[in-house]
Amino acid sequence: MTRQHPSDSLIFAPVGIAHLTGDNADLLRAAASGRSRLRVTTAAQLNGVPHFGTVVTMLTVFAFTAHAADVLGLPAVVVFDSLENAPAEHVRIDGEVYTRSVGDLIDTGALDPAERLSGFERLLTWASKRSGIAYEFRAYQVYQGLRPVRECLHRIAYQLGDFAPIVAPRDGVVRIRPRCPSCRLLEKSAASLRITALSGAVRLDSRCPVHGPYSELVHIDGGGWYDANTPVRSIQKGFLLAAERDLYDACSVSVDGADWGGAWHAHVLAPALATLGVPPRDWPISIFTPLIVDYTGGKLSKTLYVTHGAYADLPELFLDLNVLLDTYGEDVLLTIWDEVTRWAAEPRRLHRSYTVDYLRTLLTAAQPRVNGS
């Protein structure tokens, strides 16, 4: 007997953008016209083993890319930006908070790279094989040195007064932060930071509580390292993807979770690209995957679980990819894949949120398959 799919009995009301198109690939048609390929970019911080929300988002990225490539008749690649600049250690000195990144702790041997990388690599490899879409794994160390990214940094530094209200409306501090060359401490608040735009470079001055003042010179053509906080990095990514239209003759697409849409897109990315002088026709296409929400309607958060003890009744398999795969085996990814391929094609399924309870029902209904029987 064929089991009914849990969503077959549900009504998916079309909302917003879903009224505009019959297929999600339609949102790429104009930008893809005359281009030779699709470049779909997504990103994640390496802050631990992926949780269920990240798993669903990553599989949706590949499902959407495969669907769009098929409908539009273009080869495609997924670019995964690995954000090893995510903070991994917090140190409080004289009332100020300083951090060291995941990459810093990996470099010094304090953190096992497999602990932060293996889950993402396993997920990306599976999704690539299932979808037939190749992927590129791009470290932040590489990303921050790309010329278009550096050019964007330079333009922001020259126009700090214009960008401060966009990226830091509360305190006006544009956080393009260097780290101490001796101990790699980075001042989280950027209270000591001074940004100076020079010819072909940006000079970053800060102060380490242990080693005193220091400077970092970030050249457009390469050299130096800096940490761009989330809004600055988001703007740089938009600028980079706009440049990739010509660099790769590509339709550039950014696919992220829905929490990066809405107000973020309207108040950060769109005003910033306009300030940078990027014509709207060259803006990358932004697609947002469904938000996976908890019982309160908020985004499923591993941090809330680990730090604050929330989700006491939620099985650990929803918070750790390794536990999910140990419990159900890799066939559970097929169950999720079957679901997200529907999202990839149908606007009424993609442009919405899903609760953990809905996904738990999905896994329960598929138990005979994921348990191998």
Side-chain angles (χ1 to χ4, degrees), residues 11 36 70 113 182 233 259 284 293 315 366:
I11 297 173
S36 63
D70 181 59
S182 298
R233 193 174 63 247
D259 47 327
V293 299

Side-chain angles (χ1 to χ4, degrees), residues 96-338:
E96 281 287 341
V97 175
Y98 298 85
T99 67
R100 291 187 179 94
S101 71
V102 171
D104 292 333
L105 298 189
I106 289 176
D107 288 347
T108 60
L111 195 62
D112 180 2
E115 179 186 330
R116 299 303 175 105
L117 293 170
S118 61
F120 286 99
E121 290 174 338
R122 186 176 184 182
L123 186 60
L124 289 163
T125 299
W126 188 95
S128 177
K129 183 177 179 180
R130 182 65 186 177
S131 65
I133 300 295
Y135 75 91
E136 298 174 9
F137 193 100
R138 184 167 61 191
Y140 178 77
Q141 173 66 29
V142 173
Y143 167 86
Q144 61 88 34
L146 296 174
R147 185 177 178 88
V149 174
R150 292 286 178 96
E151 288 176 352
C152 183
L153 181 80
H154 196 248
R155 292 171 69 168
I156 291 174
Y158 258 116
Q159 298 175 253
L160 287 176
D162 295 327
F163 282 97
I166 298 173
V167 303
R170 182 171 58 87
D171 59 15
V173 178
V174 179
R175 289 171 171 81
I176 304 168
R177 299 168 294 205
R179 63 190 175 190
C180 174
S182 298
C183 67
R184 296 198 174 188
L185 281 179
L186 179 152
E187 187 180 45
K188 186 174 178 61
S189 70
S192 304
L193 176 66
R194 297 295 179 269
I195 302 171
T196 307
L198 306 173
S199 177
V202 175
R203 176 173 169 162
L204 304 174
D205 292 285
S206 190
R207 185 182 184 281
C208 174
V210 178
H211 300 98
Y214 64 92
S215 297
E216 185 86 13
L217 200 59
V218 182
H219 291 275
I220 290 178
D221 292 326
W225 184 95
Y226 61 93
D227 172 67
N229 76 338
T230 302
V232 173
R233 193 174 63 247
S234 177
I235 294 166
Q236 289 177 303
K237 179 179 175 180
F239 190 85
L240 170 65
L241 267 59
E244 286 184 345
R245 287 173 57 83
D246 293 329
L247 288 172
Y248 295 97
D249 189 30
C251 170
S252 295
V253 184
S254 173
V255 182
D256 297 291
D259 47 327
W260 299 108
W264 184 272
H265 197 271
H267 292 279
V268 178
L269 185 57
L273 290 177
T275 302
L276 288 166
V278 181
R281 67 177 180 275
D282 292 338
W283 291 8
I285 302 298
S286 294
I287 300 294
F288 302 103
T289 63
L291 198 64
I292 308 305
V293 299
D294 60 24
Y295 64 93
T296 71
K299 177 185 176 182
L300 180 66
S301 168
K302 187 172 182 177
T303 301
L304 282 178
Y305 178 82
V306 173
T307 305
H308 302 288
Y311 313 148
D313 62 338
L314 194 65
E316 191 178 0
L317 61 88
F318 282 99
L319 301 161
D320 189 313
L321 173 63
N322 292 333
V323 176
L324 177 70
L325 295 177
D326 288 344
T327 303
Y328 287 124
E330 286 202 351
D331 277 352
V332 71
L333 298 179
L334 278 176
T335 299
I336 302 169
W337 181 259
D338 288 347

Side-chain angles (χ1 to χ4, degrees), residues 47-70:
N47 53 11
V49 180
H51 68 62
F52 199 80
T54 302
V55 172
V56 172
T57 295
M58 294 302 300
L59 294 187
T60 305
V61 169
F62 279 87
F64 174 84
T65 303
H67 175 75
D70 181 59

